[in-house]
Amino acid sequence: MRTLLWLKRLMPEVRWTMWQNRFCSDSSIQRLESNSSIRKHLISKITATGPISVAEYMREALTNPVAGYYVKNDMLGAGGDFITSPEISQIFGELLGVWCVSEWMAAGKSNMFQLVELGPGRGSLASDILRVFSQLKTVLGETDISVHLVEVSPKLSQFQAECLTGDNTQPSDGDQPVYRSGTTRTGLPIYWYRRIEDIPRGFSVFLAHEFFDAIPIHKFQRTEKGWREVMVDIDPESPDKLRFVVSHSPTLASSILIQKDENRQHVEVCPEGGVIVQKLANRIAEDGGAALIVDYGHDGTKTDTFRGFKGHQLHNVLDAPGMADLTADVDFSYLRKMTGTEVTCLGPITQRSFLKNMGIDSRLQVLLRNCPDPSTRAQLVHSYDMLINPDKMGHRFQFFSVLNRGRLAQYRGMQKNTAPLPVAGFAELDIQ
């Protein structure tokens, strides 16, 4: 299999310095103390206009330009509120880097290749992917490669710039689509944007790792009178606190967002996520490329998944807005419906299956053979277990891909039981 051959080209060293940075750097960053600015703002808004949707509450708590969680806080790593797969092991990013190159080749080796990441965190995933690109230079040849990051957090964009460029970046003047640009440590041009629409058109591979779960959702409850939206209101017994209520009458959202064949009693819908995946699908259909979405989620089966995290612990979603991460499982069945008919979707498939298909076992053995330090070897094995153990991240996280329809045109003419699916990582899946 071509991907396994490429894995043999990757350097066998453990990037231990990078690992130390991932697990220790957070301790030197001062986290903001809890404050009530967003709570007071929300209470004032509700007092003036009435209960607000869960989507509006999430938007204010996470991305309020003055005190939003993603705007002001450093939430990643051991000292933050959650740790993501790229922070756990270099192997994760390396395998996704191989996937990106595999899709570029399968799509015809376009002379331009835009690597686009939505919500890049600290930049750890992009860093590992770019290291793979540099080690596969003979495969990529003279391709015009560039890196494009969509990030709304000023603080995180600074971390990304340091990780990926050594802070070799320049801020843009005024209200330009590109608000930061520079050159990566591997010599590639890199750009930062606030909106997907501002990314140049062209062949692109889009990555969204733990991105869609933080996009605001609407919550709906089935009642005797039909679907009603769950709203956020002031608690009458504690006027400085918030509570959930069910709207007495239909809202615009409850009238247009519920599918006619919905049979669950409680539903969460992410219309902004649907718009984003439509934009990705349109670009992939018109310009070529692929998208890989990695998140915890389900295929249209779960109901109430809205929750908060603070200090790696579950946190009441209505307490201290702006000081905790708010998240909801991604409904991949909804994303699939929103992509339309001009692209092909694969998945979701569990993280365990995807990484196994990509050759994580082979890559781990290479690193272990070339690592004499016992503590580092133990860390490698521990990280591997975290990624693929079904009781940890292995089944919790799902992989979902959007491809240009032409990508699998030849496969559609074959008998499915005689030819493996020609998409790395999804070898055991049927086309959706």
Side-chain angles (χ1 to χ4, degrees):
M1 186 175 180
R2 183 171 57 200
T3 54
L4 293 179
L5 294 176
W6 288 348
L7 284 177
K8 295 179 180 179
R9 299 192 190 187
L10 302 187
M11 297 295 288
E13 293 90 353
V14 177
R15 299 300 186 186
W16 180 237
T17 302
M18 186 177 297
W19 281 35
Q20 288 179 316
N21 289 339
R22 289 177 182 176
F23 285 99
C24 301
S25 61
D26 288 325
S27 62
S28 64
I29 299 173
Q30 181 179 6
R31 291 177 55 81
L32 295 177
E33 296 297 326
S34 177
N35 64 76
S36 60
S37 61
I38 290 184
R39 178 173 53 81
K40 290 180 178 178
H41 167 65
L42 290 169
I43 289 175
S44 296
K45 176 180 286 191
I46 293 171
T47 300
T49 62
I52 61 175
S53 67
V54 173
E56 185 172 358
Y57 174 80
M58 284 186 71
R59 191 175 300 108
E60 288 284 357
L62 297 179
T63 59
N64 180 284
V66 175
Y69 177 77
Y70 288 129
V71 175
K72 290 293 185 181
N73 290 308
D74 172 47
M75 68 294 294
L76 296 173
D81 296 317
F82 54 88
I83 296 177
T84 61
S85 295
E87 272 76 44
I88 289 175
S89 174
Q90 70 182 71
I91 303 177
F92 183 86
E94 290 174 345
L95 296 181
L96 265 62
V98 170
W99 188 89
C100 292
V101 175
S102 173
E103 281 308 299
W104 167 78
M105 290 193 68
K109 299 183 180 180
S110 171
N111 58 11
M112 73 171 294
F113 184 168
Q114 296 187 153
L115 175 67
V116 181
E117 186 175 1
L118 312 182
R122 285 181 168 275
S124 301
L125 176 58
S127 176
D128 289 335
I129 289 174
L130 293 179
R131 190 172 66 252
V132 169
F133 284 9
S134 67
Q135 293 173 17
L136 295 178
K137 283 184 177 179
T138 56
V139 176
L140 293 166
E142 299 300 318
T143 306
D144 180 14
I145 304 175
S146 55
V147 184
H148 305 262
L149 307 180
V150 178
E151 179 59 71
V152 298
S153 168
K155 177 169 285 190
L156 283 178
S157 71
Q158 294 173 6
F159 292 145
Q160 296 154 12
E162 173 60 34
C163 174
L164 299 172
T165 74
D167 209 18
N168 180 24
T169 62
Q170 304 81 35
S172 301
D173 296 330
D175 190 22
Q176 299 294 321
V178 176
Y179 68 85
R180 184 191 294 270
S181 62
T183 304
T184 70
R185 297 177 188 270
T186 56
L188 300 177
I190 183 170
Y191 309 91
W192 277 261
Y193 311 82
R194 295 181 181 86
R195 307 186 312 158
I196 295 173
E197 302 93 298
D198 294 330
I199 299 170
R201 301 300 296 250
F203 182 94
S204 303
V205 174
F206 299 91
L207 299 176
H209 179 262
E210 291 198 55
F211 172 78
F212 280 88
D213 66 276
I215 301 175
I217 61 164
H218 289 265
K219 291 174 70 69
F220 304 101
Q221 181 70 45
R222 191 193 296 271
T223 72
E224 294 179 353
K225 297 180 180 181
W227 285 101
R228 294 293 185 266
E229 185 164 8
V230 177
M231 311 291 281
V232 176
D233 197 4
I234 299 170
D235 188 339
E237 298 182 0
S238 301
D240 62 338
K241 294 183 178 181
L242 301 170
R243 65 169 184 168
F244 288 118
V245 296
V246 177
S247 61
H248 295 295
S249 58
T251 62
L252 177 62
S254 67
S255 300
I256 65 175
L257 293 179
I258 301 296
Q259 301 290 323
K260 292 182 179 180
D261 58 350
E262 182 57 64
N263 55 20
R264 288 172 285 179
Q265 297 300 307
H266 190 104
V267 178
E268 297 168 334
V269 182
C270 182
E272 291 183 36
V275 171
I276 290 173
V277 82
Q278 280 183 334
K279 292 177 181 178
L280 299 184
N282 290 340
R283 282 178 171 248
I284 291 169
E286 295 174 9
D287 303 330
L292 187 64
I293 299 171
V294 185
D295 232 310
Y296 41 84
H298 57 93
D299 207 13
T301 57
K302 292 187 178 181
T303 56
D304 184 11
T305 70
F306 183 40
R307 58 201 180 279
F309 286 98
K310 185 176 182 181
H312 303 279
Q313 301 294 323
L314 282 171
H315 178 83
N316 186 318
V317 293
L318 297 182
D319 285 350
M323 297 308 301
D325 183 36
L326 302 179
T327 180
D329 283 13
V330 177
D331 185 344
F332 289 105
S333 69
Y334 175 72
L335 294 187
R336 186 185 301 113
K337 290 177 182 176
M338 298 304 290
T339 59
T341 60
E342 298 305 313
V343 294
T344 294
C345 296
L346 300 180
I349 182 175
T350 66
Q351 176 165 293
R352 175 185 175 88
S353 296
F354 183 90
L355 295 181
K356 285 276 191 179
N357 290 340
M358 288 298 300
I360 189 173
D361 295 322
S362 298
R363 182 57 178 161
L364 174 66
Q365 293 306 314
V366 169
L367 293 176
L368 290 174
R369 285 197 300 268
N370 289 275
C371 179
D373 179 65
S375 63
T376 306
R377 290 171 60 88
Q379 180 63 60
L380 282 168
V381 174
H382 173 73
S383 299
Y384 167 86
D385 181 66
M386 282 288 293
L387 291 176
I388 71 162
N389 189 319
D391 295 328
K392 297 177 182 178
M393 289 180 163
H395 283 181
R396 183 78 175 112
F397 284 83
Q398 308 287 320
F399 280 66
F400 180 83
S401 184
V402 181
L403 305 173
N404 184 285
R405 288 192 66 83
R407 167 72 174 82
L408 299 179
Q410 182 178 2
Y411 177 80
R412 292 191 186 95
M414 301 178 180
Q415 293 296 322
K416 293 183 180 180
N417 60 355
T418 62
L421 188 66
V423 180
F426 293 89
E428 298 180 359
L429 285 183
D430 291 330
I431 298 178
Q432 302 296 318

